[in-house]
Amino acid sequence: MRKMFKELKVQSWRPLGEVRKLFREMFQKHLSRLAELKSEGRPVGWFWACSPTELAYVFDIVNVFPEQYSAYCASRGASDKLIDAAIEYHYSEFTCDYLKCSVGSILNSEAAPLGGHCGMKPDFVLDSRMACYSGHHAMSEIFANFYDNLKRFIIDVPFWTEDKIGRIELPAKNPEKINKEDYDFVVAQLWDFIHFLEELTGEKLDEERMKRAFETAERTSKNLIEIANLMISKPTPMSQMDYRGFPLIGFFITAADYALEFTQKALEIIKKRVREGEGVTEEERLRLLSQGIIPWYSELYKYYEERGVVFPLNLYVEDTFCLIESSKPLESLLRRSMSLWNCSADSWIDSVLRRVKRADLNGAILFENTGCRLFSLNLRRFKEVLWEELGIPSVIIEAPQCDSRGMPFERVVTKINAFIESLL
Amino acid sequence: MLLSNRYFDELRCPEVYGLGIDVGSAFTKAVLTKIKENGQIEVVAYDVIPTKPDMKRCVHEMFERILKMGGVTKEEVKSIIETGYGSKIVQSEIGGSVVSEITCHAKGAKYLFPKCRGVIDIGGQDAKAIKLDEEGRVVGFEMNDKCAAGTGRFLEVMSKVLDVEIDQLGEIYLKAEKKASITNTCTVFAQSEVISLISQGVPKEEIAAGLIEAFASRVAGLAKIVGITRYVVASGGVAKITGFVKALERKLGCEIWVPKEPMIVGALGAALLALSKAAQQSTNMKIPRQGL
């Protein structure tokens, strides 16, 4: 049998320029909303991933997201300086990249985009463990030391194990069951948070506004899930360089009318591309899974898409999605906490494997986030399962999400190229 | 067994050359191969020179040397594959295609040892463990590419501290009755630890043996992650240190095969791939099973 010499050749790359433009416009609208509300004296809240941010749209809260801000800084090449500022202040370089960036933006606001302080100084921080086992608590504690009179509201959620929720369907985050005690435990806290916002704003909950906000969120979240399903089409319609911005929506702004507008338009554009059979690259040579927090500073996806290697499935991006049901608003907020980070692998593995199978993949790139060690702990098992259950090989890449110095491009490309050569 | 004439006809082809160049951090290696008229692969020439800071010059020097050694002209070598840390410089200077070191080492080791199922390559600035399937395909690999511990540089630094030739470290390990415990495998801190042991009067032999032991543990750890358990080939300059290979055999619990010239395994793999590429470009040509 003759073995052929195979190599990847640069070909035409076709990102969806229109989606990118619309995304920028949406982000500008978001920043304008924040500025406008701030000028009206509305309270500023800092929210973590998977928190009930829809409620910010019910109470006209200025919603700021330190993690998203850090990702934004990294994508603009500004995170390394902020990380250094935090390290100089004796935060360990081995701690969370998002913490270092956020703290750095407080300590060195001149080097920080959007005026530092993650964009705006907070009046309160919503502290939760809806996504992160422990980091968000610790970070909220740290922020409370930086800002006098910072109010802190804590929402605790269980770590979702299979006996509590059964198997969960992703990306909608639909579990087989929810124990009544768990439901009551979380929903009571969500009501307390609503009361906290009532007290903070001096305004009673407007049920009509809440209904409208969750209706918007429902439509946005449905669009996101549809887009996720279109992404696994053949050929892959959209670049990960564009798709990677979607966690901003999934995590934080589903209830915003500008998010709904964006997802609606993006969905139509992507649908058209799928209908016409056009992909992000001229010829798909390999289809890979991406898992792990994205190294935001890197153009790795672009580099490979230009060479015919596409990423139809990005589990990190999809994990920021959750079907919001306007008929069950608080239950939806509870379900959002059922992320890959806050669920035992037994509950999500079947669903993820089904999605991997549907996406028809050749391999997987697993980002071991040195800036988020806890999140990376599951990767080894996931790697084994991918291989044992589906025969899909994978490569683990050390990739801090914000510190570009931890992932020298050439070194990573050498490693990924070796992996790709083994797949060709 | 007699083969039909038809079989030979298929293999008959003009002589084709394939050149592989592996530019590492410490040494630049080149192998020139050819497919002979009877279809057999022949290693025509190989060479190893130290990598110099002026890498462009180094690449040209190597290119000219290997052509001269092989008695061929530039024009005759139509297919070149480069690999290693300086591969892009080779590509920009003399053309060809870049292939990763993992693929090249796997290819080279499989050619030299057809039963090979694992490769441990220890270069000047990185270490790799590669797992192969029966057909020689890479099915897993790990690289230590961020830390000098577990690379040739570690032994280089330690041999200087101990004032022992790097080649002698292995012999000392084999003869040593006791091994000092070196707890830290970070090159810089291990250096401090060695100096501290010297000042405590621990015999040099014990320290050297302890270093080899620590080094082998680190490399074995890499191999274990990938699941290399048998038919292992060691490549890279460090594979010349017999004591290290023995220590690694003990850690892995299997025999390790070392080629006569372990430093050229990657360049050889690149050269074989170059032949494969040349054969692919030449439509009339059949290439033999052997090694490709």
Side-chain angles (χ1 to χ4, degrees):
Chain A
M1 189 178 64
R2 181 163 149 181
K3 289 178 191 170
M4 306 291 277
F5 173 80
K6 294 170 185 169
E7 61 182 330
L8 295 174
K9 292 223 165 86
V10 177
Q11 44 178 290
S12 78
W13 183 55
R14 301 184 288 218
L16 282 168
E18 216 179 324
V19 171
R20 191 170 287 191
K21 186 171 159 275
L22 288 166
F23 188 89
R24 281 199 202 110
E25 285 170 12
M26 178 196 70
F27 190 57
Q28 280 311 316
K29 285 178 189 169
H30 174 64
L31 293 180
S32 301
R33 173 188 178 268
L34 301 189
E36 201 179 311
L37 289 175
K38 173 78 178 159
S39 70
E40 290 169 10
R42 304 298 298 181
V44 179
W46 281 14
F47 293 77
W48 297 115
C50 296
S51 339
T53 47
E54 283 74 8
L55 295 170
Y57 290 86
V58 180
F59 284 92
D60 281 339
I61 300 293
V62 185
N63 46 347
V64 171
F65 319 114
E67 290 155 302
Q68 185 270 331
Y69 174 81
S70 304
Y72 172 75
C73 292
S75 66
R76 291 171 57 100
S79 51
D80 293 353
K81 272 188 182 171
L82 305 183
I83 287 169
D84 285 347
I87 292 171
E88 282 162 22
Y89 201 72
H90 300 297
Y91 285 101
S92 162
E93 66 177 294
F94 301 110
T95 194
C96 171
D97 269 10
Y98 290 148
L99 167 74
K100 286 177 287 186
C101 275
S102 305
V103 166
S105 84
I106 298 167
L107 294 166
N108 187 3
S109 57
E110 280 175 16
L114 306 173
H117 300 274
C118 295
M120 262 176 218
K121 287 182 184 175
D123 297 305
F124 75 92
V125 56
L126 175 58
D127 172 357
S128 82
R129 61 185 307 281
M130 297 182 108
C132 185
Y133 314 133
S134 56
H136 289 169
H137 279 321
M139 288 190 247
S140 303
E141 185 92 5
I142 286 162
F143 294 144
N145 291 332
F146 277 108
Y147 299 108
D148 291 337
N149 305 318
L150 180 74
K151 293 184 176 66
R152 186 171 159 201
F153 190 90
I154 301 173
I155 297 181
D156 200 6
V157 294
F159 179 76
W160 302 107
T161 50
E162 204 186 353
D163 62 315
K164 285 179 183 291
I165 59 170
R167 301 290 169 102
I168 185 168
E169 195 61 38
L170 298 168
K173 296 205 173 96
N174 271 329
E176 279 179 333
K177 59 179 181 179
I178 304 172
N179 288 345
K180 190 178 179 311
E181 308 84 72
D182 292 327
Y183 177 89
D184 291 344
F185 173 65
V186 180
V187 167
Q189 293 178 80
L190 290 169
W191 274 115
D192 285 347
F193 181 55
I194 290 173
H195 300 322
F196 169 82
L197 294 177
E198 285 179 327
E199 202 175 304
L200 190 75
T201 58
E203 293 158 10
K204 278 274 163 214
L205 172 70
D206 180 339
E207 288 185 10
E208 191 49 40
R209 275 200 83 181
M210 177 145 161
K211 188 168 168 273
R212 281 204 307 275
F214 278 86
E215 278 169 357
T216 303
E218 178 169 333
R219 291 174 65 196
T220 307
S221 67
K222 281 181 175 166
N223 288 343
L224 290 174
I225 291 167
E226 203 174 338
I227 289 170
N229 288 330
L230 286 171
M231 279 297 286
I232 56 181
S233 312
K234 266 187 178 175
T236 302
M238 183 164 57
S239 166
Q240 284 293 333
M241 293 305 288
D242 295 325
Y243 195 41
R244 68 179 193 165
F246 282 51
L248 164 69
I249 311 167
F251 267 152
F252 302 116
I253 59 171
T254 59
D257 50 4
Y258 44 83
L260 173 60
E261 187 191 355
F262 166 76
T263 54
Q264 201 73 51
K265 288 181 181 168
L267 177 61
E268 290 312 314
I269 295 166
I270 296 163
K271 268 185 187 169
K272 183 170 176 275
R273 221 185 207 193
V274 171
R275 262 197 317 272
E276 290 170 357
E278 196 183 342
V280 65
T281 189
E282 213 173 310
E283 186 206 350
E284 284 190 2
R285 297 284 306 276
L286 290 173
R287 291 164 64 86
L288 302 185
L289 165 79
S290 175
Q291 164 63 341
I293 306 176
I294 296 163
W296 301 105
Y297 45 83
S298 174
E299 296 217 322
L300 204 62
Y301 290 132
K302 178 173 181 262
Y303 178 89
Y304 283 105
E305 285 170 353
E306 283 174 339
R307 287 159 177 78
V309 179
V310 297
F311 302 86
L313 190 59
N314 187 325
L315 288 179
Y316 166 75
V317 174
E318 285 199 1
D319 201 33
T320 70
F321 302 166
C322 169
L323 176 65
I324 303 293
E325 293 172 277
S326 55
S327 57
K328 301 177 210 165
L330 298 189
E331 187 184 307
S332 301
L333 298 182
L334 174 156
R335 283 194 293 102
R336 177 180 281 146
S337 71
M338 295 175 186
S339 64
L340 297 185
W341 309 298
N342 196 42
C343 281
S344 68
D346 293 335
S347 59
W348 53 258
I349 203 80
D350 285 350
S351 174
V352 164
L353 290 181
R354 270 200 303 280
R355 280 196 78 66
V356 171
K357 222 170 167 178
R358 266 186 69 196
D360 192 15
L361 303 169
N362 306 100
I365 292 184
L366 311 177
F367 291 117
E368 181 165 30
N369 300 120
T370 44
C372 184
R373 295 277 185 192
L374 287 174
F375 178 52
S376 306
L377 289 176
N378 262 332
L379 283 188
R380 307 274 162 191
R381 177 163 176 216
F382 188 49
K383 182 180 166 68
E384 278 171 21
V385 173
L386 279 177
W387 178 248
E388 283 162 14
E389 301 281 326
L390 303 177
I392 292 181
S394 53
V395 64
I396 293 180
I397 300 293
E398 267 193 29
Q401 64 268 38
C402 292
D403 192 338
S404 67
R405 296 156 298 188
M407 195 184 96
F409 192 76
E410 284 302 321
R411 203 147 58 190
V412 170
V413 164
T414 301
K415 194 166 181 180
I416 297 180
N417 281 353
F419 175 65
I420 284 174
E421 283 162 12
S422 73
L423 299 177
L424 284 172
Chain B
M1 193 177 88
L2 286 171
L3 291 169
S4 72
N5 284 338
R6 185 179 158 73
Y7 180 82
F8 282 106
D9 286 346
E10 278 180 353
L11 290 180
R12 193 151 294 140
C13 55
E15 284 187 345
V16 170
Y17 290 91
L19 174 63
I21 302 183
D22 176 3
V23 183
S25 63
F27 291 95
T28 297
K29 292 81 70 177
V31 174
L32 181 67
T33 52
K34 78 169 175 183
I35 300 178
K36 295 193 286 187
E37 278 188 24
N38 64 3
Q40 293 299 303
I41 294 167
E42 181 188 333
V43 173
V44 181
Y46 72 85
D47 199 8
V48 178
I49 60 170
T51 300
K52 293 162 191 159
D54 184 350
M55 282 175 72
K56 284 184 185 174
R57 224 169 122 186
C58 181
V59 165
H60 285 290
E61 185 190 330
M62 176 53 104
F63 191 45
E64 275 157 32
R65 280 170 68 113
I66 198 78
L67 292 178
K68 199 173 169 190
M69 287 169 82
V72 287
T73 62
K74 276 181 202 173
E75 291 68 34
E76 283 176 278
V77 181
K78 290 199 173 71
S79 181
I80 304 169
I81 298 288
E82 44 268 356
T83 190
Y85 150 82
S87 54
K88 290 210 171 144
I89 292 173
V90 185
Q91 192 180 35
S92 67
E93 292 300 305
I94 59 172
S97 302
V98 174
V99 173
S100 76
E101 291 170 74
I102 302 287
T103 304
C104 291
H105 276 88
K107 194 65 74 182
K110 180 77 181 167
Y111 176 80
L112 295 169
F113 299 92
K115 270 185 137 184
C116 165
R117 298 294 292 272
V119 184
I120 293 172
D121 172 62
I122 299 153
Q125 69 172 18
D126 72 4
K128 305 177 249 325
I130 310 163
K131 189 177 181 179
L132 313 181
D133 68 6
E134 270 178 37
E135 297 197 6
R137 283 182 298 235
V138 174
V139 290
F141 66 91
E142 273 296 328
M143 292 168 80
N144 166 21
D145 56 359
K146 280 194 169 175
C147 175
T151 73
R153 191 75 73 213
F154 176 86
L155 293 181
E156 214 175 283
V157 170
M158 296 312 153
S159 65
K160 275 186 190 149
V161 177
L162 288 172
D163 195 21
V164 170
E165 287 298 315
I166 194 163
D167 303 345
Q168 289 174 347
L169 282 172
E171 287 166 34
I172 294 172
Y173 169 82
L174 291 173
K175 285 179 196 158
E177 285 175 7
K178 278 174 82 180
K179 298 176 192 75
S181 167
I182 310 286
T183 52
N184 208 317
T185 50
C186 163
T187 306
V188 177
F189 294 131
Q191 188 178 357
S192 320
E193 207 175 333
V194 167
I195 292 166
S196 162
L197 287 170
I198 294 170
S199 68
Q200 287 167 34
V202 177
K204 206 189 263 189
E205 291 70 25
E206 274 183 38
I207 300 172
L211 282 167
I212 289 286
E213 184 82 4
F215 185 76
S217 288
R218 183 136 185 148
V219 175
L222 207 60
K224 282 175 185 167
I225 294 173
V226 188
I228 294 175
T229 51
R230 60 194 178 130
Y231 307 134
V232 183
V233 173
S235 65
V238 176
K240 288 182 174 177
I241 304 173
T242 321
F244 160 71
V245 175
K246 285 281 166 227
L248 195 57
E249 282 179 339
R250 281 174 201 157
K251 301 275 173 203
L252 292 179
C254 69
E255 186 193 353
I256 293 174
W257 300 324
V258 181
K260 274 184 195 157
E261 182 42 272
M263 288 174 82
I264 62 158
V265 174
L268 172 65
L272 294 170
L273 285 164
L275 282 183
S276 180
K277 191 182 176 190
Q280 203 171 305
Q281 286 161 352
S282 163
T283 49
N284 298 324
M285 196 171 140
K286 279 253 179 193
I287 57 169
R289 276 165 175 265
Q290 179 202 355
L292 291 180

